[in-house]
Every structure is written in C-alpha cells, then in structure tokens.
Amino acid sequence: MYQFVLGKISTLCADPLASALADRAPQGARQASWLAGRTLLARTLSPRPLPDIIYGEQGKPAFAKGHPLWFNLSHSGDDIALLMSDEGEVGCDIEVIRPRKNWQALANAVFSMTEHDELEREAPEERLSAFWRIWTRKEAIVKQRGGSAWQIVSVDSTALTSSLSVSQCQLDTLSLAVCTPTPFTLTADAVQRLEALA
C-alpha cells in the first residue's frame, strides 16, 4: 500500500496539532516545514497516534523500530508532500516548477548523459519543466536510499535496477516524483489533498 498526500505548510502550521508539537520543533528556518511535516504525518495516521521518529545516518527520518510503515517528506515553497508505505523504504520529491538561476549549468553539472539527452530532446519552452521532472526523479531516488543531496550527481534516474520503481507526474505547477521498492504509479488521481482527509 502506498499513500501520497499533499498539503500546504501555512495551513498545517495553523493546525492545532502543530501547536502541540511546537516545543519539539527546531528553531529557525526549518521550523515551519518540520511542524507541517509532523502535522501531515499525524493527520494521515489518525486516529492512530504519531509514532516516535528516529533519524538515519544521513538524517532521514523514520518511524522507530518495530513500526510497520515507512515514510518520506518533501517540501517546496508552501507545498509539502508525504509518501507513506507498508512495503519498504520510499523516497519522494516535490518541486514548484519555477525559474532557477543557472539551472542549465546545474543540469550540466549533475545530470547524466542520458538525463541530459532527455532534457535536450524537449522543445526549448519545455526544458525548464523537464529540468524539474528529472531533478525530482533524482531526488526521490537519493531520498529512498537515505542519502544526502550532494549524492544527486551519482544518480542516473534513467538507469534503475529492477528492485526500484520510479514514477512521476506534474500537478498544476508542481513536479512530483516517488521512488518505491515495488511498482506504484503516481498520477493526479493517486494524490490525496489534505483537505480530503479532514
């Protein structure tokens, strides 16, 4: 079973559950996304309580040992995504499709030859969207492995093993990607909005 849920950081931070978690949140720039992520997890698991969360070597959060679910969170702008699974480690990435300074130089630096070819096959007006499509795939794979952002250069999202499944979609101005241990097709219909859970 896979569950992919989208929410808004601003809405989740205003949720009463966020107030109850505020004393555990980090201070500074990460506070809002941390609170939104924990609130999204708690809302999605409801009525079950939010399990203890531990962190892997590279900082990937996970439920404490013995809990039968895996999850991954990603955020971009005011949007936050949660991928939950009972089938093994997962990774997800969400990016607002937006201009990024020097995105073409970044693609040249971190995309594989086949990823670069995929980008170049797009019409010029579609290349920025294609950049984010490839980027989210790479991030989802790195996050599924529990790696860190600097490892993105070592991932070729077009050369996967049979033990991983990667799926992606564009939803409005968002590029979404998931990496799962068994096939899961991410489509607009598979995306749940937090409002539908309330």
Side-chain angles (χ1 to χ4, degrees), residues 122-129:
E122 295 288 339
E125 64 275 9
E126 296 298 320
R127 286 190 183 145
L128 180 63
S129 182

mmCIF file of all heavy atoms in Angstrom, residues 122-129:
data_model
loop_
_atom_site.group_PDB
_atom_site.id
_atom_site.type_symbol
_atom_site.label_atom_id
_atom_site.label_comp_id
_atom_site.label_asym_id
_atom_site.label_seq_id
_atom_site.Cartn_x
_atom_site.Cartn_y
_atom_site.Cartn_z
ATOM 1 N N GLU A 122 13.600 17.962 -25.439
ATOM 2 C CA GLU A 122 12.415 18.791 -25.210
ATOM 3 C C GLU A 122 12.482 20.063 -26.053
ATOM 4 O O GLU A 122 13.563 20.573 -26.340
ATOM 5 C CB GLU A 122 12.312 19.177 -23.733
ATOM 6 C CG GLU A 122 12.090 18.018 -22.795
ATOM 7 C CD GLU A 122 10.684 17.442 -22.882
ATOM 8 O OE1 GLU A 122 9.757 18.142 -23.363
ATOM 9 O OE2 GLU A 122 10.510 16.287 -22.459
ATOM 10 N N ALA A 123 11.311 20.576 -26.390
ATOM 11 C CA ALA A 123 11.246 21.878 -27.054
ATOM 12 C C ALA A 123 11.806 22.918 -26.086
ATOM 13 O O ALA A 123 11.665 22.766 -24.866
ATOM 14 C CB ALA A 123 9.796 22.202 -27.423
ATOM 15 N N PRO A 124 12.434 23.972 -26.581
ATOM 16 C CA PRO A 124 13.050 24.966 -25.693
ATOM 17 C C PRO A 124 12.112 25.494 -24.606
ATOM 18 O O PRO A 124 12.531 25.665 -23.464
ATOM 19 C CB PRO A 124 13.486 26.078 -26.650
ATOM 20 C CG PRO A 124 13.742 25.370 -27.940
ATOM 21 C CD PRO A 124 12.700 24.273 -27.991
ATOM 22 N N GLU A 125 10.853 25.711 -24.939
ATOM 23 C CA GLU A 125 9.915 26.243 -23.941
ATOM 24 C C GLU A 125 9.520 25.206 -22.890
ATOM 25 O O GLU A 125 8.927 25.549 -21.871
ATOM 26 C CB GLU A 125 8.664 26.830 -24.619
ATOM 27 C CG GLU A 125 7.812 25.828 -25.364
ATOM 28 C CD GLU A 125 8.258 25.551 -26.797
ATOM 29 O OE1 GLU A 125 9.350 26.011 -27.210
ATOM 30 O OE2 GLU A 125 7.512 24.844 -27.500
ATOM 31 N N GLU A 126 9.848 23.935 -23.093
ATOM 32 C CA GLU A 126 9.517 22.859 -22.148
ATOM 33 C C GLU A 126 10.723 22.413 -21.314
ATOM 34 O O GLU A 126 10.595 21.569 -20.435
ATOM 35 C CB GLU A 126 8.948 21.656 -22.895
ATOM 36 C CG GLU A 126 7.631 21.923 -23.604
ATOM 37 C CD GLU A 126 6.530 22.314 -22.628
ATOM 38 O OE1 GLU A 126 6.457 21.713 -21.531
ATOM 39 O OE2 GLU A 126 5.765 23.238 -22.955
ATOM 40 N N ARG A 127 11.879 22.973 -21.579
ATOM 41 C CA ARG A 127 13.098 22.490 -20.924
ATOM 42 C C ARG A 127 13.139 22.791 -19.430
ATOM 43 O O ARG A 127 13.646 21.977 -18.660
ATOM 44 C CB ARG A 127 14.341 23.029 -21.617
ATOM 45 C CG ARG A 127 14.551 22.329 -22.941
ATOM 46 C CD ARG A 127 15.872 22.624 -23.565
ATOM 47 N NE ARG A 127 15.919 21.945 -24.855
ATOM 48 C CZ ARG A 127 16.516 22.419 -25.916
ATOM 49 N NH1 ARG A 127 17.168 23.570 -25.849
ATOM 50 N NH2 ARG A 127 16.500 21.739 -27.040
ATOM 51 N N LEU A 128 12.619 23.912 -18.993
ATOM 52 C CA LEU A 128 12.614 24.200 -17.556
ATOM 53 C C LEU A 128 11.753 23.184 -16.821
ATOM 54 O O LEU A 128 12.139 22.637 -15.784
ATOM 55 C CB LEU A 128 12.121 25.624 -17.277
ATOM 56 C CG LEU A 128 12.084 26.011 -15.804
ATOM 57 C CD1 LEU A 128 13.482 26.000 -15.192
ATOM 58 C CD2 LEU A 128 11.432 27.381 -15.632
ATOM 59 N N SER A 129 10.588 22.873 -17.369
ATOM 60 C CA SER A 129 9.719 21.861 -16.771
ATOM 61 C C SER A 129 10.402 20.493 -16.777
ATOM 62 O O SER A 129 10.326 19.745 -15.798
ATOM 63 C CB SER A 129 8.395 21.812 -17.538
ATOM 64 O OG SER A 129 7.526 20.878 -16.966
#
